[in-house]
Amino acid sequence: ASRAEFLDLETTLPLRPDRFLERMRRELPRGIRFLAVTDIATRADSLSKVVNRVIYSARIPDSHVSYAVASLNGGGEDRRSAENHEAALNRFLERPSIPYTRVRERKTKTVDLRPFLRGLSLDTGSELHLDLGMDNGRSAKPHEILEVLYGEGSHAVPVTRQEQLVMRGTKALSPLLAAGRGTGGTRDPR
């Protein structure tokens, strides 16, 4: 699932963003809508090239939390407590390396996910937020992080992309603002 998708679209004729938004509103299926439109310079990098940070969320089942707490904190404590879950996340983030074996078309490759993992945090109880960096389209996949942290079976945990961002120093920008020319944009008022 996703709450943050972006689309580069090239038209053969000039099109006003407000008119485009109105047309799309009428044509798109229920549940899908454009929230904003902006002009992007013809030679601008594609949005997929400028996005360098993605935030995901996932509600982690108690059984998976127990696995992470037991493997990262040791045994003996309440394995479902948010405090112990947070401690397990902090220990995970302290790792200098997070090896993961990817299997594609019968080939295996071990990659280090740690350079892409910018942060992990808990919302209410077991709502996990994953902050992943990107480098020229390369990144860790959220389910890869979940599998290393919570064990087998975590690939079935639903993950939602919450935000895509362009980080410039410590400033987080919407990809539309980062790529746009600053003129001709419009937002859906709904």
Side-chain angles (χ1 to χ4, degrees), residues 114-131:
R114 186 63 186 100
F116 302 109
L117 182 58
R118 303 286 190 231
L120 295 168
S121 61
L122 283 177
D123 207 339
T124 55
S126 59
E127 180 83 10
L128 178 71
H129 294 271
L130 299 93
D131 181 348

Side-chain angles (χ1 to χ4, degrees), residues 2-164:
S2 180
R3 295 174 186 252
E5 292 298 324
F6 294 89
L7 169 73
D8 294 299
L9 180 70
E10 188 173 327
T11 60
T12 55
L13 299 172
L15 186 62
R16 285 187 24 201
D18 58 334
R19 288 197 178 140
F20 174 80
L21 195 58
E22 187 176 316
R23 282 185 185 175
M24 293 311 294
R25 209 180 293 135
R26 288 192 311 256
E27 299 296 328
L28 287 171
R30 175 177 240 141
I32 298 176
R33 67 182 185 143
F34 281 77
L35 300 177
V37 177
T38 191
D39 288 327
I40 296 176
T42 305
R43 298 195 197 294
D45 284 336
S46 70
L47 293 175
S48 63
K49 285 187 179 179
V50 298
V51 169
N52 58 9
R53 203 70 157 269
V54 184
I55 310 297
Y56 296 91
S57 66
R59 182 154 308 279
I60 308 301
D62 284 346
S63 59
H64 289 59
V65 172
S66 294
Y67 173 89
V69 170
S71 64
L72 292 164
N73 291 355
E77 66 255 326
D78 176 7
R79 294 183 179 178
R80 290 177 308 227
S81 82
E83 183 178 296
N84 289 327
H85 192 183
E86 190 78 48
L89 296 179
N90 289 334
R91 282 198 179 84
F92 189 74
L93 287 169
E94 289 170 358
R95 290 180 170 184
S97 163
I98 302 171
Y100 182 82
T101 302
R102 289 181 176 158
V103 179
R104 288 193 183 132
E105 298 176 16
R106 291 186 248 163
K107 294 180 185 178
T108 60
K109 180 180 179 182
T110 300
V111 295
D112 185 7
L113 304 178
R114 186 63 186 100
F116 302 109
L117 182 58
R118 303 286 190 231
L120 295 168
S121 61
L122 283 177
D123 207 339
T124 55
S126 59
E127 180 83 10
L128 178 71
H129 294 271
L130 299 93
D131 181 348
L132 301 180
M134 296 182 71
D135 181 20
N136 289 324
R138 296 180 311 123
S139 183
K141 294 177 177 70
H143 280 104
E144 294 171 340
I145 299 290
L146 294 180
E147 185 177 330
V148 176
L149 181 56
Y150 296 108
E152 290 184 33
S154 57
H155 64 277
V157 172
V159 172
T160 301
R161 184 182 324 187
Q162 297 290 346
E163 292 184 78
Q164 292 190 61

